[in-house]
Amino acid sequence: MTSGLFGGAFDPPHAGHVALARKALEHFALERLRVLVVVEPAHKAIETDVELRLELARLAFAELPRTKVGADPHPYTIETVSDGRFVAGDTVFLVGADEFAGFLSWREPDRILERVRLGVATRPGYPRERLEVVLAELERPERVELFTIPAHDVSSTEIRARAARGEPIAGLVPAPVARRIVELGIYDGGC
Ligand code: ATP
């Protein structure tokens, strides 16, 4: 029985995040998936309140089975995966390929892999050598599994920028998320 963890700032959650989670549920036959909205990520300045990001993430991931959304108080992944509330038993921590390309700069990557396996979502055409160089440096590369998701060329940064310019974001985020962003007028003031 395998559980999944999917952490991020989700400022806001978008179609790429949902596609990754959907495919991971199936690929790893996850018994459950916990989406963790990181309150204060170590490497990003976040202006959007965590309660808002949680609300948007609940709307975004509501369409997925066996999936729950919660807050993660830990800035570093090694702390998250050392927290018994989040990891017990076989757990796959999910990341996008771009994120994994920088994995060696994370705090204690080898210790992370002792506690969880890593599920790395790649898209067709993603340069594999960017991942191979990381795998080559890890003590336990067999704990990393790549899986392919359809390409969604979207990022939270782009959505914030579009919303700030008053451009439509429909199709880039799940419909209930788009409605709520417009209703609340978040991201209107800039990105
Ligand atoms: P930002 O643009 O603010 O940097 P982001 O779009 O990368 O944000 P995060 O919340 O930082 O979103 O990402 C959480 C996780 O989702 C990371 O593991 C990241 O690699 C992955 N991810 C982000 N965008 C995509 C995408 N378009 N397709 C698949 N996975 C993605």
Side-chain angles (χ1 to χ4, degrees), residues 138-158:
L138 297 172
E139 281 170 15
R140 298 186 63 186
E142 76 282 2
R143 300 271 287 165
V144 180
E145 183 169 333
L146 310 183
F147 67 110
T148 307
I149 61 170
H152 281 270
D153 194 12
V154 57
S155 69
S156 299
T157 305
E158 183 197 345

Side-chain angles (χ1 to χ4, degrees), residues 82-184:
S82 304
D83 186 331
R85 287 175 301 169
F86 299 138
V87 173
D90 183 38
T91 303
V92 180
F93 190 91
L94 302 167
V95 291
D98 289 318
E99 198 73 21
F100 181 70
F103 185 59
L104 297 174
S105 70
W106 291 23
R107 196 176 269 191
E108 304 193 73
D110 286 313
R111 258 189 72 217
I112 292 175
L113 283 177
E114 281 168 20
R115 296 181 184 273
V116 290
R117 295 193 280 136
L118 227 56
V120 178
T122 65
R123 54 180 188 270
Y126 187 88
R128 217 193 139 91
E129 49 295 356
R130 280 194 213 157
L131 309 177
E132 297 289 351
V133 291
V134 180
L135 289 168
E137 296 296 320
L138 297 172
E139 281 170 15
R140 298 186 63 186
E142 76 282 2
R143 300 271 287 165
V144 180
E145 183 169 333
L146 310 183
F147 67 110
T148 307
I149 61 170
H152 281 270
D153 194 12
V154 57
S155 69
S156 299
T157 305
E158 183 197 345
I159 290 159
R160 293 195 300 276
R162 289 179 76 99
R165 293 193 298 261
E167 293 170 12
I169 54 171
L172 301 176
V173 300
V177 174
R179 276 197 295 273
R180 196 67 181 132
I181 287 175
V182 170
E183 244 169 51
L184 292 168

Side-chain angles (χ1 to χ4, degrees), residues 4-5 13 17 21 32 37 39 47 56 62 80 95 113 122 142 150 185:
L5 285 182
H17 296 138
R32 63 193 183 126
V37 179
V39 178
E47 289 177 14
L56 296 178
T80 306
V95 291
L113 283 177
T122 65
E142 76 282 2

